[in-house]
Amino acid sequence: MGFCLTDKITVLKGIGEKTAVLFRRMGVETVEELLRFYPRDYDRIEEISRVAELRDNSRFVVRGTVCSGVSERKTGRLTLSVAQAADESGKLQLSFFNMPYIRGTLKKGAVYYFRGKVHRKGNGFTMEQPVLLSPAEYEKQRGKLLPVYPLTNGLNQKAVRKAVAQVLEAAKKEEGLVPEVLPSLIREEQGLCGVLEALSGIHFPEGQEEMIRAKKRLAFEEFLVFLLLIRKMKDSAEAVPNAFPMLETADTGRFLEGLPFRLTKDQEQVWRDILGDMTGSYTMNRLVQGDVGSGKTVLAALALLLTASNGYQGAMMAPTEVLAVQHFQTLQGYAKKYKLPLRPVLLTGSLSAKEKREVYEQIESGGCNLVVGTHALIQEKVNYHKLALVITDEQHRFGVRQREAFSRKGTGSEEEEKGQMPHVMVMSATPIPRTLAMILYGDLHVSVIRQLPTGRQAIKNCVVDTGWRSRAWRFLEKEIRAGRQAFVICPMIEASEESDLENVEEYTETLRANLPEDLRIEMLHGKMKPAEKNRLMDAFGAGMIDVLVSTTVIEVGVNIPNATVMMIENAERFGLAQLHQLRGRVGRGEYQSYCIFINGSESDKAKERLEVLNHSNDGFYIAEQDLKLRGPGDMFGVRQSGILNFRIADIYQDADMLMLADKACGEITAQEAWEEKPEYRELALLLQRSVRNNIDFPGI
Ligand code: ADP
Ligand code: MG
């Protein structure tokens, strides 16, 4: 053996420089990182099904006899080989793409276990790309859970499995190779397993139960470290004297008078909270939580205006370029329309080097007093001038440390006086049940906007299966003819062999073929250049595009009041909270809006989950139902991608662990100088390491 956790993975057998490069792409450089590279799912071979039991769109194993020869068809570069197999209950078609050698393999009369996804074709079923297993191979795999890692091209599951197994083997032999960070007292109290058991249980579980046990322990550990980190931030942010005390000026009043609407009661209260903070004795540290469409942006505008009127600079950061540009335009529009003393600049990654230099110059000299942008705002090169307020929008998209880095921007360095801290405001639409929010938002004061502006009509929802698709398209057409616009969301960007999920590229083509030619249908996805994405969003915003087929890149924040239809394909693949965010893209204007969830699965469970959205437009209620509907068995089923992505823990599924970790965190930090006690040594070291390595946790 003779390696330790901090060694590069090239110390392992079978991993050379080339493979190491591939691992690095997934953030795995050291042995420790490899151990913490968790599977995204598990593969378990299905029990044998009879042909008569097959259902559309699911995976099965069928024990069948080959009952025909293999016929071959060529279309372009594609070779399609087709054969028939049967069991005593019926016949099944097998189809293979670009596997011409299958002709020599499949022998008429031979018995195989065929494993693959089946589709209904006419009266029967076709299994696509089946994997062929001998009876012995099938028996060997039965009942086992094989880890499936989130991989990059060029690396296969086998290679990762082998490497991980090697480390686990070594760890079992060599005590202390993988140190235990949880003191035994805590583990016993909470009934958690040890670190080795957890790691081997998460990578190579004997069965579901072991995997669940492992996940619980690892989730607890992750939460605990997160909470200890938050606690530190809280201690250092608490009661910092207000370095930028402000006075209320006439500008904010004038702005409010001029707006075409009146603030709702909740918005008014939040504005009073903000005003109280910024004019008060202590620096603001406030989270504004409000469901999608509740009107958070105008509150940000007010706070930024107050800052500018007092002669200071303010900055607002958004997670995507599309959203940053939109905020910039909104604020610039306000400044012009109401003659406000705001001089905004936009700073994003897609500016040219020259443009960036000019913007940096304006920021540093104080030529502008409002900076709007993306992550580019927290880069080292940006030096602010009297920065008194930083706002993070859609802050669940940023890490806790990014948020912290932003608030440090005014002070220059970590060590400098606390007295220079700018006011901090973060905005989020993540509806988190109150009990969990209290724990997760530990370092912030919270203002909540519960009511939506009046005059909004509730969005009408429907959950339907794929058979309804063409009717949904007709509906889109009808809305467009009435002058409205529509979004269609697909989970994937392009077609792939591994997935049957709808993809943006093909879907756009299909829509163009199925809707009248004069409708303007365009696509948008994350692989496009930022400038191209901006152009498309601008065109959509200006009404030059009727239907935008997109991945979830449009999920956060975008405001297009004329869009009234949100159609989501493979809705079963998204988390409820994420679907709710997507739905929030419509229903923002005066028109009746609609959300069509297309359920691509036949499972009752998927239907039950989606029905929650069908019956409620209340984000908090939805989050709570989501929590209730998930059992521990769903483990990796549906992740709320983009929302609170811890490495392994999921605040909804592992809510029990979050509460236990919170309790433990309280008990630990209540002890005088706990970091120096021997039982917490490894934990304190881990904490130091994660600070030093800049390991981030999701913002909430
Ligand atoms: P979110 O909270 O999701 O960020 P936005 O700030 O984008 O929501 O607001 C959504 C829309 O509601 C915007 O067009 C905004 O101008 C409008 N709006 C905000 N507050 C009010 C209000 N009190 N009355 C009517 N419309 C409002
Ligand atoms: Mg917003």
Side-chain angles (χ1 to χ4, degrees):
M1 266 151 278
F3 57 77
C4 64
L5 286 186
T6 48
D7 282 342
K8 294 256 185 295
I9 51 169
T10 41
V11 296
L12 301 175
K13 262 181 261 147
I15 299 190
E17 282 303 330
K18 258 196 202 148
T19 319
V21 170
L22 296 174
F23 270 101
R24 197 173 312 141
R25 265 191 229 150
M26 297 171 307
V28 176
E29 286 196 62
T30 64
V31 173
E32 178 165 32
E33 282 158 356
L34 178 66
L35 274 181
R36 302 287 173 162
F37 183 57
Y38 301 125
R40 79 171 151 74
D41 205 348
Y42 297 89
D43 199 13
R44 165 186 262 166
I45 203 152
E46 296 77 14
E47 291 298 314
I48 294 166
S49 300
R50 285 147 32 96
V51 170
E53 294 165 342
L54 300 185
R55 285 203 304 176
D56 195 17
N57 240 339
S58 304
R59 255 171 192 289
F60 290 96
V61 172
V62 171
R63 183 178 179 280
T65 313
V66 181
C67 60
S68 75
V70 178
S71 67
E72 224 168 61
R73 213 173 56 223
K74 279 201 162 103
T75 39
R77 274 184 298 166
L78 211 74
T79 316
L80 181 67
S81 316
V82 178
Q84 305 262 339
D87 65 8
E88 68 294 341
S89 75
K91 267 192 184 169
L92 174 69
Q93 175 151 308
L94 311 165
S95 68
F96 303 84
F97 299 99
N98 286 341
M99 291 172 63
Y101 49 86
I102 204 73
R103 212 174 173 159
T105 318
L106 270 189
K107 295 268 167 354
K108 200 168 163 183
V111 176
Y112 289 99
Y113 291 73
F114 299 99
R115 180 181 191 216
K117 201 162 183 182
V118 302
H119 293 280
R120 188 184 287 285
K121 289 244 168 83
N123 284 333
F125 284 100
T126 296
M127 186 181 278
E128 273 164 19
Q129 286 315 62
V131 174
L132 273 48
L133 297 162
S134 68
E137 282 169 327
Y138 177 75
E139 278 313 316
K140 203 170 144 219
Q141 287 189 29
R142 234 178 112 196
K144 283 231 174 88
L145 290 176
L146 276 178
V148 177
Y149 298 93
L151 291 189
T152 166
N153 275 346
L155 206 59
N156 62 32
Q157 300 292 347
K158 242 187 185 157
V160 183
R161 286 174 194 157
K162 261 173 89 177
V164 174
Q166 210 183 124
V167 180
L168 285 173
E169 274 310 303
K172 274 176 204 155
K173 287 190 200 135
E174 192 180 324
E175 212 187 319
L177 178 67
V178 182
E180 175 60 80
V181 294
L182 298 181
S184 52
L185 195 68
I186 292 187
R187 271 190 292 132
E188 272 156 33
E189 216 174 80
Q190 325 282 16
L192 300 168
C193 66
V195 66
L196 257 188
E197 194 183 333
L199 287 171
S200 88
I202 204 73
H203 288 288
F204 302 106
E206 283 294 328
Q208 177 118 330
E209 248 165 59
E210 190 186 343
M211 186 261 285
I212 291 173
R213 225 171 114 70
K215 190 185 174 214
K216 282 211 171 304
R217 137 86 207 215
L218 296 170
F220 177 91
E221 178 185 314
E222 189 174 21
F223 281 140
L224 182 62
V225 173
F226 168 78
L227 292 171
L228 287 167
L229 203 79
I230 288 266
R231 179 71 60 123
K232 263 199 175 147
M233 281 167 54
K234 183 180 181 178
D235 290 344
S236 70
E238 209 139 75
V240 178
N242 187 348
F244 302 99
M246 309 205 183
L247 289 173
E248 196 173 357
T249 66
D251 292 323
T252 51
R254 203 157 48 79
F255 175 49
L256 283 172
E257 293 276 301
L259 278 175
F261 51 77
R262 292 182 62 123
L263 294 190
T264 60
K265 282 263 166 326
D266 284 353
Q267 282 173 313
E268 246 173 48
Q269 179 56 48
V270 178
W271 172 227
R272 271 200 298 276
D273 292 346
I274 295 170
L275 204 55
D277 287 345
M278 292 172 72
T279 58
S281 327
Y282 298 103
T283 302
M284 174 162 75
N285 238 319
R286 186 167 293 280
L287 167 79
V288 175
Q289 196 188 11
D291 211 343
V292 278
S294 60
K296 296 183 289 292
T297 317
V298 67
L299 296 166
L302 279 163
L304 290 163
L305 177 57
L306 181 72
T307 306
S309 300
N310 276 271
Y312 300 122
Q313 198 171 54
M316 169 138 113
M317 177 163 76
T320 64
E321 181 135 0
V322 167
L323 188 55
V325 170
Q326 185 178 298
H327 282 327
F328 174 73
Q329 287 167 347
T330 303
L331 291 163
Q332 202 178 33
Y334 285 152
K336 254 198 210 121
K337 187 159 172 205
Y338 306 114
K339 304 209 169 32
L340 306 173
L342 288 175
R343 297 185 303 277
V345 288
L346 176 68
L347 178 59
T348 63
S350 69
L351 296 186
S352 70
K354 177 158 170 279
E355 289 167 327
K356 268 188 205 148
R357 265 199 311 277
E358 279 168 21
V359 173
Y360 292 155
E361 212 291 304
Q362 286 205 351
I363 297 174
E364 195 160 356
S365 68
C368 69
N369 56 13
L370 169 54
V371 192
V372 183
T374 53
H375 300 80
L377 297 194
I378 51 177
Q379 261 149 36
E380 258 170 51
K381 284 176 234 157
V382 195
N383 293 309
Y384 292 88
H385 180 84
K386 293 203 262 181
L387 182 67
L389 169 67
V390 296
I391 300 181
T392 311
D393 189 21
E394 304 290 349
Q395 74 117 2
H396 62 276
R397 285 301 184 103
F398 293 98
V400 171
R401 298 180 65 79
Q402 285 177 317
R403 185 173 93 205
E404 207 195 4
F406 198 22
S407 65
R408 285 243 163 77
K409 260 316 197 179
T411 63
S413 79
E414 294 206 7
E415 288 74 34
E416 225 167 291
E417 287 285 294
K418 276 185 190 173
Q420 293 287 313
M421 289 281 272
H423 296 287
V424 174
M425 171 172 161
V426 294
M427 307 200 289
S428 169
T430 315
I432 294 178
R434 185 148 184 85
T435 39
L436 305 185
M438 303 262 284
I439 301 172
L440 293 161
Y441 300 146
D443 61 328
L444 297 164
H445 294 118
V446 183
S447 297
V448 183
I449 313 178
R450 290 204 186 283
Q451 71 195 149
L452 293 183
T454 46
R456 295 267 173 85
Q457 303 182 42
I459 297 172
K460 291 194 173 153
N461 304 295
C462 67
V463 179
V464 292
D465 59 39
T466 49
W468 278 68
R469 197 176 274 145
S470 52
R471 243 180 284 183
W473 290 343
R474 296 281 92 76
F475 181 72
L476 249 66
E477 185 187 347
K478 199 177 115 227
E479 282 291 297
I480 292 161
R481 294 290 179 222
R484 307 283 84 77
Q485 291 162 282
F487 291 104
V488 180
I489 307 295
C490 300
M492 312 298 280
I493 295 178
E494 57 205 357
S496 97
E497 270 189 20
E498 279 149 49
S499 162
D500 286 332
L501 301 176
E502 296 299 327
N503 70 80
V504 168
E505 287 183 0
E506 290 182 335
Y507 203 97
T508 307
E509 287 312 313
T510 313
L511 257 194
R512 283 181 181 150
N514 279 278
L515 287 175
E517 264 183 15
D518 62 315
L519 297 195
R520 297 158 301 178
I521 302 165
E522 297 293 340
M523 63 177 179
L524 178 73
H525 57 71
K527 277 195 185 165
M528 291 175 162
K529 293 225 165 71
E532 180 64 3
K533 280 191 269 185
N534 290 340
R535 189 187 65 74
L536 284 159
M537 278 321 291
D538 280 348
F540 193 61
M544 312 289 287
I545 295 173
D546 299 311
V547 184
L548 195 63
V549 182
S550 163
T551 52
T552 53
V553 289
I554 59 105
E555 177 193 327
V556 289
V558 180
N559 189 31
I560 313 265
N562 192 47
T564 55
V565 188
M566 170 60 70
M567 175 169 173
I568 305 171
E569 289 284 350
N570 294 117
E572 77 282 0
R573 299 298 299 223
F574 299 101
L576 292 188
Q578 194 179 13
L579 288 169
H580 180 64
Q581 292 256 342
L582 283 167
R583 172 167 65 184
R585 298 308 111 219
V586 298
R588 300 186 139 237
E590 62 201 274
Y591 311 106
Q592 176 62 54
S593 290
Y594 306 87
C595 188
I596 306 167
F597 300 100
I598 306 277
N599 179 5
S601 129
E602 283 183 7
S603 104
D604 294 337
K605 201 130 192 232
K607 183 136 181 71
E608 191 187 354
R609 282 182 59 243
L610 293 174
E611 281 302 322
V612 172
L613 292 163
N614 203 2
H615 296 304
S616 172
N617 285 322
D618 175 351
F620 284 91
Y621 171 79
I622 290 165
E624 266 157 31
Q625 292 304 307
D626 203 8
L627 195 59
K628 279 194 197 141
L629 283 176
R630 293 191 202 198
D634 296 338
M635 212 46 73
F636 294 89
V638 182
R639 299 270 297 190
Q640 304 279 356
S641 71
I643 300 178
L644 296 162
N645 281 340
F646 282 85
R647 257 187 119 86
I648 190 153
D650 178 309
I651 61 149
Y652 294 96
Q653 265 163 14
D654 304 314
D656 51 343
M657 287 299 120
L658 178 57
M659 291 188 218
L660 289 179
D662 181 52
K663 193 164 147 273
C665 173
E667 284 165 11
I668 293 171
T669 52
Q671 301 172 40
E672 197 72 38
W674 66 271
E675 280 124 318
E676 281 146 41
K677 298 195 171 173
E679 65 266 38
Y680 296 124
R681 198 186 119 84
E682 290 298 337
L683 184 59
L685 283 175
L686 177 66
L687 209 59
Q688 277 173 21
R689 266 206 309 278
S690 51
V691 171
R692 198 172 50 234
N693 296 345
N694 231 350
I695 290 176
D696 209 346
F697 286 96
I700 296 117

